[in-house]
Amino acid sequence: MNIEEFRKRGYEVVDYIAKYYQELENFPTLSNVQPGYLSELLPSEAPSTPEDFDVIMKDFNDKIIPGITHWQSPNYFAYFPANSSFPSILGDMLSNMVNCIGFNWICSPACTELETIVMDWLAKMISLPERFLSASNGGGVIQGTASESVLVTLIAAREKKIRMHNSLNPDLLVPKFVAYCSDQTHSSVQKAAIILRIKMHVISSKNFSMDDSLLEETIKNDIKNGLVPIFVCSTIGTTSTGGIDKVEKIAGIAKKYKLWHHVDAAYAGSALVCPEFQYLLEGVENADSFSMNCHKWLLTNFDFSPLWIADRSQLIKALSINPAYLENNATSSGKVCVNERKGKVIDYRDWQIGLGRRFRSLKFWFVARCYGVSGLQTHIRKCIDLAKLFEHFINEDPLFEVAAERTFSLVCFRVKNLGDSEHKLLNDNINSCGVFLTHTVINNLYTLRLCVGSPWTEENHIHKVFEIIKQETKKIKKGQ
Amino acid sequence: MNIEEFRKRGYEVVDYIAKYYQELENFPTLSNVQPGYLSELLPSEAPSTPEDFDVIMKDFNDKIIPGITHWQSPNYFAYFPANSSFPSILGDMLSNMVNCIGFNWICSPACTELETIVMDWLAKMISLPERFLSASNGGGVIQGTASESVLVTLIAAREKKIRMHNSLNPDLLVPKFVAYCSDQTHSSVQKAAIILRIKMHVISSKNFSMDDSLLEETIKNDIKNGLVPIFVCSTIGTTSTGGIDKVEKIAGIAKKYKLWHHVDAAYAGSALVCPEFQYLLEGVENADSFSMNCHKWLLTNFDFSPLWIADRSQLIKALSINPAYLENNATSSGKVCVNERKGKVIDYRDWQIGLGRRFRSLKFWFVARCYGVSGLQTHIRKCIDLAKLFEHFINEDPLFEVAAERTFSLVCFRVKNLGDSEHKLLNDNINSCGVFLTHTVINNLYTLRLCVGSPWTEENHIHKVFEIIKQETKKIKKGQ
């Protein structure tokens, strides 16, 4: 494909995208294909010679689109949102144009420096304490997923604790390490502990918030039993219910017992662009790291998972490795300083698992400038208002009950006097009507979750989804 | 930005990309900005209100582009290539349009199924043994980077070995675990061991290939000393020189001592689309996993790092975690089978570190179909021919000497009778002439590396870069 052919096909794909968003509302949100559908439609080997672009686009339209669950649909209320936006798509096209690999500063100075700049922008937008800014000893880095964020912070916490105990044999020490999360913490935190084979003690929650007295009691008990507490994760906006941990209390306990305190705001972090939510950051000034996902609710395409760290040297010491083929003047000048004092250059490869990295800051730079902070606030507030409207419908209708207090744009609800298996059937039936909701389990009961997050969702979609839920509930009730 | 505004801006960005590739050759390949340049050009806070798209594009052009090191330039010969291609860019635009998060099958059946299909296509293209295909007990998955591939395989190897020793306390067993790589293995393998705190014994290489007798001797010795060997990584196409390990010999040793054998072909794996290189796969039929990077040399934009595994259940057992909010009918039906027998659905979240994942198979699907296997072969062979031409120039000129046997498209060379610091200066001077080469260290000597990989590089660029190298060498020689 030469440059002129690309221009022609590029316009066509832009038109296709425009048409997709025009028609998006009419697609069934949850794909209804059967497992294995695609292998029946596509050949089992790549073509030996080039195919025409029109044929490929036709296949995309006829064979791929039916197998898509439309996360951008105004009728998507499942899991958490995964916002796409036009400025983000355009910024990412330019990232693909450049396609630089930004592991070292010299690999593309703009790739590294724009990342530092937008991470500072974002930190200021959500009023993160100054110690997380790059001008301090901290700084932000874009990870692929919140799972990677928690994994690298757990590694940094482990290495920091090993250094604190430097006279001991780490092989004897590490098996004594223990980390803490709540029964509402995202599974990625437990997965990080599984990956590193670090014990994770799960603290029960009260009203969807970690029981901090129990946390302290458990820590004390663990120490008495010869364990070494190293890490605690608190959450602002849990996956199951949007629950909020008492960050300040947990920060106090973490400080007292010298634990690394990571704050996970993967979903709700986006809401912090609105000043009315920033009180939730109380205590974060004592945290060691903070993560959120702009690729969930802040109009930035996947993947874009910011992680801020209060003392970047902890991360760098834990994740640096310097083979000869990566040495260069800029890195040599920077290495010293990033570890010891304010640095000239950052090599983000030392802040993450992988070596290679995409120019991801571009898409958020486009988003932040095209929307402005005010535009991002409008988006968040609109979603929350729509969630409130849905909550209102649930509260006003005697058929239903809210199952957990709404905190942001997530409403957890149940049909009164309906069993688990009927709830499950109801969920399936609702999803076959063109909308998509998922569930969770609260107090051992199957509970429906409706999360508003798509920028395309308007009031009429909330009315519509509630009507569907009501209609399907009545059908099931009738069949009882 | 509404749909019509997006269409207009989309065309503009397509035009910008077309223009970039038209003019690419004229940019200095290595950016010459100074550290901190961008923070002087951009505000320290995000704008509070929306900015005009024209202003943002102008900033991109005037402020970002000068800070780009142009990995797509025909004059880029550094590190390894990071191919971009128009079909890949177009496919990724559609991925951004959909922006589905494919952690579970139901999250977008097409996202999961197309990944399985293209990973089978690719496996067949490079003649990977059948046990790595999805119809067997194996299968492929797209990781973000080769670092992640090696990390997840090392985790799977660790867990497999723990299960084999199931009567023991893992906390006492794991510290005895030891993995092996060579002094030419990529640093990501050592980084994975650092992350997991698993001992890594580095085996010396002979002629840039792991000394397999020494490997076996070390394993025997380690066992005698009470250690438990678990993993060995062999490489086809090392980063430093393009060296090739004797995969078959290492496979035999791995089998004998029950080690997980991972084959890393991050760079050279792409060359295996050409049948004339497939003899290098001898022994891979006994390997446990195999990885390569299409985002290096196979015309697919970052990130796209295929990993195949011979027994997928090993990976799934090591990385699964199943919270209530991710349960669904399809997953429940599939779980059993993926672990036990041929599965209905795959949930790729259990094959990787993170939970979220992009629809990455689309871009390779576009690449494979737009180029056909023959087009991919042409690309690889052209790069290798150009590298041969450069090697010829080096061999014919009495100023220079080849420092390691060329295997694929990478030529390592030195100026005869020139010290390390002069070589370093020479490298800097060459890079200030608009081209970009990096270096490595071979036998303790600073060695220049020239790797051909950009689809835009033609014979004239090889002539030009050699002329620059000669001219700058003569200048330095004169100054001696």
Side-chain angles (χ1 to χ4, degrees):
Chain A
M1 189 181 287
N2 65 25
I3 291 176
E4 283 317 307
E5 166 92 356
F6 166 72
R7 192 193 309 274
K8 176 171 177 265
R9 299 311 188 175
Y11 288 0
E12 285 173 17
V13 172
V14 166
D15 286 339
Y16 190 93
I17 296 173
K19 188 160 168 277
Y20 175 78
Y21 281 95
Q22 252 151 6
E23 296 175 355
L24 184 51
E25 180 160 5
N26 308 319
F27 291 115
T29 309
L30 178 65
S31 170
N32 52 22
V33 298
Q34 291 303 305
Y37 91 101
L38 195 56
S39 62
E40 289 169 19
L41 300 176
L42 294 181
S44 60
E45 286 187 40
S48 54
T49 52
E51 293 186 88
D52 192 81
F53 196 79
D54 289 330
V55 177
I56 307 171
M57 280 303 288
K58 188 170 173 353
D59 274 358
F60 177 79
N61 188 71
D62 298 350
K63 298 172 183 172
I64 303 297
I65 287 286
I68 297 292
T69 292
H70 300 279
W71 287 62
Q72 307 314 315
S73 167
N75 301 313
Y76 177 93
F77 303 104
Y79 304 112
F80 280 133
N83 286 176
S84 166
S85 75
F86 293 138
S88 174
I89 292 174
L90 296 167
D92 207 40
M93 283 167 70
L94 294 171
S95 167
N96 265 333
M97 172 190 90
V98 166
N99 202 39
C100 63
I101 310 298
F103 50 81
N104 282 347
W105 179 85
I106 62 156
C107 284
S108 261
C111 176
T112 292
E113 297 198 9
L114 190 64
E115 181 156 337
T116 308
I117 289 167
V118 302
M119 288 298 284
D120 280 346
W121 281 15
L122 186 54
K124 289 174 187 174
M125 254 188 235
I126 64 171
S127 291
L128 216 54
E130 273 195 18
R131 57 204 286 265
F132 291 101
L133 297 180
S134 67
S136 71
N137 293 322
V141 56
I142 307 166
Q143 304 279 341
T145 60
S147 312
E148 287 161 65
S149 292
V150 76
L151 179 60
V152 297
T153 52
L154 188 52
I155 294 166
R158 180 191 68 191
E159 296 304 308
K160 188 179 174 186
K161 193 61 97 180
I162 289 172
R163 278 195 303 277
M164 282 169 63
H165 287 246
N166 68 355
S167 58
L168 291 167
N169 176 355
D171 285 347
L172 296 175
L173 180 63
V174 174
K176 293 179 187 157
F177 283 177
V178 55
Y180 305 86
C181 66
S182 91
D183 54 14
Q184 299 297 307
T185 307
H186 191 264
S187 58
S188 59
V189 179
Q190 292 214 41
K191 186 160 175 173
I194 289 170
I195 287 169
L196 301 178
R197 295 197 70 84
I198 287 178
K199 273 179 222 42
M200 179 68 72
H201 285 173
V202 178
I203 308 298
S204 300
S205 55
K206 262 188 190 167
N207 203 17
F208 313 111
S209 174
M210 193 193 288
D211 181 339
D212 49 279
S213 312
L214 191 57
L215 170 67
E216 180 158 15
E217 206 179 295
T218 310
I219 291 174
K220 277 189 194 164
N221 215 36
D222 285 343
I223 294 172
K224 215 190 302 171
N225 290 327
L227 296 179
V228 180
I230 63 162
F231 178 94
V232 59
C233 178
S234 61
T235 307
I236 300 176
T238 61
T239 305
S240 190
T241 66
I244 299 166
D245 286 336
K246 293 175 223 88
V247 173
E248 201 178 5
K249 285 234 169 143
I250 296 171
I253 296 168
K255 208 170 176 183
K256 187 169 166 190
Y257 297 95
K258 296 194 175 66
L259 276 69
W260 184 292
H261 180 204
H262 178 70
V263 181
D264 172 23
Y267 155 60
S270 298
L272 300 175
V273 298
C274 303
E276 62 268 32
F277 290 112
Q278 292 174 357
Y279 73 95
L280 292 168
L281 287 174
E282 230 165 286
V284 170
E285 67 278 7
N286 286 317
D288 296 282
S289 47
F290 181 94
S291 62
M292 62 180 279
N293 281 344
C294 295
H295 63 232
K296 280 196 165 68
W297 195 18
L298 211 58
L299 299 165
T300 309
N301 283 52
F302 191 87
D303 50 347
F304 195 103
S305 189
L307 166 68
W308 289 272
I309 199 119
D311 177 0
R312 61 181 174 239
S313 75
Q314 298 300 335
L315 203 59
I316 294 168
K317 279 180 209 161
L319 294 171
S320 288
I321 183 161
N322 294 304
Y325 47 79
L326 297 179
E327 281 165 13
N328 63 82
N329 295 339
T331 291
S332 309
S333 83
K335 276 299 156 195
V336 193
C337 13
V338 176
N339 287 308
E340 310 288 324
R341 52 197 142 84
K342 202 185 160 218
K344 263 193 186 162
V345 310
I346 286 173
D347 287 345
Y348 277 121
R349 67 186 166 98
D350 299 326
W351 299 51
Q352 63 176 19
I353 300 294
L355 174 59
R357 57 203 325 275
R358 227 175 127 85
F359 197 167
R360 288 182 287 211
S361 56
L362 261 185
K363 56 187 170 189
F364 183 73
W365 190 54
F366 272 69
V367 166
R369 297 186 66 177
C370 283
Y371 285 90
V373 179
S374 62
L376 298 175
Q377 290 169 339
T378 303
H379 163 63
I380 296 291
R381 287 176 185 142
K382 182 182 146 201
C383 294
I384 293 175
D385 284 345
L386 292 176
K388 280 181 187 167
L389 177 66
F390 181 79
E391 184 190 29
H392 171 77
F393 290 159
I394 292 292
N395 276 328
E396 292 298 296
D397 196 306
L399 271 176
F400 305 103
E401 61 188 358
V402 165
E405 200 191 338
R406 185 197 52 75
T407 46
F408 303 98
S409 68
L410 169 64
V411 181
C412 294
F413 66 100
R414 273 196 289 262
V415 180
K416 287 179 191 160
N417 307 313
L418 196 74
D420 268 13
S421 57
E422 286 86 0
H423 265 101
K424 192 172 172 314
L425 178 66
L426 173 62
N427 198 352
D428 289 343
N429 292 352
I430 291 168
N431 289 347
S432 69
C433 298
V435 299
F436 185 25
L437 270 70
T438 50
H439 78 285
T440 188
V441 172
I442 299 181
N443 300 327
N444 293 315
L445 294 173
Y446 191 105
T447 305
L448 291 163
R449 281 169 90 261
L450 181 139
C451 187
V452 184
S454 166
W456 302 93
T457 303
E458 303 290 343
E459 243 187 77
N460 64 306
H461 302 103
I462 302 297
H463 283 273
K464 186 182 136 189
V465 69
F466 184 66
E467 282 312 310
I468 291 172
I469 292 167
K470 220 161 76 175
Q471 154 208 312
E472 295 305 316
T473 301
K474 282 180 182 163
K475 277 189 205 161
I476 286 195
K477 283 268 188 187
K478 221 170 177 178
Q480 270 183 324
Chain B
M1 190 181 285
N2 64 26
I3 291 176
E4 282 318 308
E5 167 92 356
F6 166 72
R7 192 194 308 275
K8 177 171 177 265
R9 299 311 188 175
Y11 289 0
E12 285 173 18
V13 172
V14 166
D15 286 339
Y16 190 94
I17 295 173
K19 189 161 168 275
Y20 175 80
Y21 281 95
Q22 253 151 6
E23 297 176 356
L24 183 51
E25 179 159 6
N26 308 319
F27 291 114
T29 309
L30 179 64
S31 169
N32 53 21
V33 299
Q34 292 302 304
Y37 91 101
L38 195 56
S39 62
E40 289 169 20
L41 300 176
L42 294 181
S44 60
E45 286 188 37
S48 53
T49 51
E51 291 187 88
D52 192 82
F53 197 78
D54 289 329
V55 177
I56 306 171
M57 281 304 288
K58 190 170 170 356
D59 273 357
F60 177 79
N61 188 70
D62 298 351
K63 298 172 182 172
I64 303 296
I65 286 287
I68 297 292
T69 292
H70 300 280
W71 287 62
Q72 306 315 313
S73 169
N75 301 312
Y76 176 93
F77 303 105
Y79 304 111
F80 281 133
N83 286 176
S84 165
S85 75
F86 292 139
S88 173
I89 293 174
L90 296 168
D92 208 39
M93 282 168 71
L94 294 171
S95 166
N96 265 332
M97 172 189 90
V98 166
N99 201 40
C100 64
I101 309 298
F103 50 82
N104 282 347
W105 179 85
I106 62 155
C107 284
S108 259
C111 177
T112 292
E113 296 199 8
L114 189 65
E115 182 156 336
T116 308
I117 289 168
V118 302
M119 289 297 286
D120 280 347
W121 281 15
L122 186 54
K124 289 175 187 172
M125 257 188 233
I126 63 171
S127 291
L128 215 54
E130 273 196 18
R131 56 204 284 267
F132 292 101
L133 297 180
S134 68
S136 71
N137 293 321
V141 57
I142 307 166
Q143 304 280 340
T145 61
S147 312
E148 286 162 64
S149 292
V150 76
L151 179 60
V152 297
T153 52
L154 188 52
I155 294 166
R158 180 191 69 191
E159 296 304 308
K160 187 179 174 188
K161 193 61 96 178
I162 290 172
R163 277 194 303 275
M164 282 168 64
H165 288 246
N166 67 358
S167 58
L168 290 168
N169 176 356
D171 285 347
L172 296 175
L173 179 63
V174 175
K176 293 179 186 158
F177 283 177
V178 55
Y180 304 86
C181 65
S182 91
D183 54 13
Q184 300 297 307
T185 307
H186 191 263
S187 59
S188 58
V189 179
Q190 292 214 41
K191 187 160 174 172
I194 289 170
I195 286 169
L196 301 179
R197 295 197 72 83
I198 287 177
K199 270 179 224 39
M200 178 68 71
H201 285 173
V202 178
I203 309 297
S204 299
S205 55
K206 263 188 190 169
N207 203 18
F208 314 111
S209 174
M210 192 193 289
D211 182 340
D212 48 279
S213 314
L214 191 56
L215 171 66
E216 181 159 14
E217 207 179 294
T218 310
I219 291 174
K220 277 189 194 161
N221 215 35
D222 285 344
I223 294 173
K224 215 190 303 171
N225 290 327
L227 295 180
V228 180
I230 62 163
F231 179 94
V232 59
C233 178
S234 62
T235 306
I236 301 176
T238 61
T239 305
S240 190
T241 66
I244 299 166
D245 286 334
K246 295 176 222 87
V247 173
E248 201 177 4
K249 286 234 168 140
I250 296 171
I253 296 168
K255 206 169 177 184
K256 188 168 165 190
Y257 298 95
K258 297 196 176 66
L259 275 68
W260 184 291
H261 181 202
H262 177 71
V263 181
D264 172 25
Y267 155 60
S270 299
L272 301 176
V273 298
C274 302
E276 62 269 31
F277 289 113
Q278 291 175 358
Y279 73 94
L280 292 168
L281 286 174
E282 231 164 285
V284 170
E285 67 278 7
N286 286 316
D288 296 283
S289 47
F290 181 93
S291 62
M292 62 179 281
N293 281 344
C294 295
H295 63 233
K296 279 197 166 67
W297 197 17
L298 211 58
L299 299 165
T300 309
N301 283 53
F302 190 89
D303 49 347
F304 195 102
S305 188
L307 166 68
W308 289 273
I309 199 119
D311 177 0
R312 62 181 174 240
S313 75
Q314 298 300 336
L315 202 57
I316 294 168
K317 280 181 207 159
L319 294 170
S320 288
I321 183 161
N322 295 305
Y325 48 79
L326 296 179
E327 281 165 12
N328 62 82
N329 295 338
T331 292
S332 308
S333 83
K335 277 298 155 195
V336 193
C337 9
V338 176
N339 287 307
E340 310 287 325
R341 52 197 143 85
K342 203 184 157 217
K344 262 194 185 164
V345 310
I346 286 174
D347 286 345
Y348 277 122
R349 67 186 166 97
D350 299 327
W351 299 52
Q352 64 176 19
I353 301 293
L355 174 59
R357 56 202 326 274
R358 228 173 126 86
F359 196 168
R360 287 182 287 211
S361 56
L362 261 186
K363 56 187 172 190
F364 183 74
W365 190 54
F366 272 70
V367 167
R369 298 185 66 177
C370 282
Y371 284 89
V373 178
S374 62
L376 298 176
Q377 290 169 338
T378 304
H379 163 63
I380 296 291
R381 287 176 185 141
K382 182 183 148 203
C383 293
I384 292 174
D385 285 345
L386 292 175
K388 281 181 184 165
L389 177 66
F390 181 79
E391 182 189 31
H392 172 75
F393 291 159
I394 292 291
N395 276 328
E396 293 298 296
D397 196 305
L399 271 177
F400 305 104
E401 61 187 359
V402 165
E405 201 190 337
R406 184 197 53 75
T407 46
F408 304 97
S409 68
L410 169 64
V411 181
C412 294
F413 66 100
R414 273 195 288 261
V415 180
K416 286 179 190 160
N417 307 313
L418 195 74
D420 268 13
S421 56
E422 287 86 358
H423 265 101
K424 192 174 173 312
L425 178 65
L426 173 62
N427 198 352
D428 289 342
N429 292 353
I430 292 168
N431 290 348
S432 69
C433 298
V435 300
F436 185 24
L437 271 70
T438 50
H439 78 285
T440 187
V441 173
I442 299 182
N443 301 326
N444 292 317
L445 294 173
Y446 191 107
T447 305
L448 290 163
R449 283 170 90 259
L450 181 139
C451 188
V452 185
S454 166
W456 301 94
T457 303
E458 302 290 344
E459 243 186 76
N460 65 307
H461 302 103
I462 302 297
H463 283 273
K464 187 182 135 188
V465 69
F466 183 66
E467 282 312 309
I468 290 172
I469 292 167
K470 220 160 75 176
Q471 153 207 313
E472 294 306 315
T473 301
K474 282 180 182 163
K475 276 190 205 162
I476 284 195
K477 283 268 187 187
K478 223 172 178 177
Q480 267 184 329

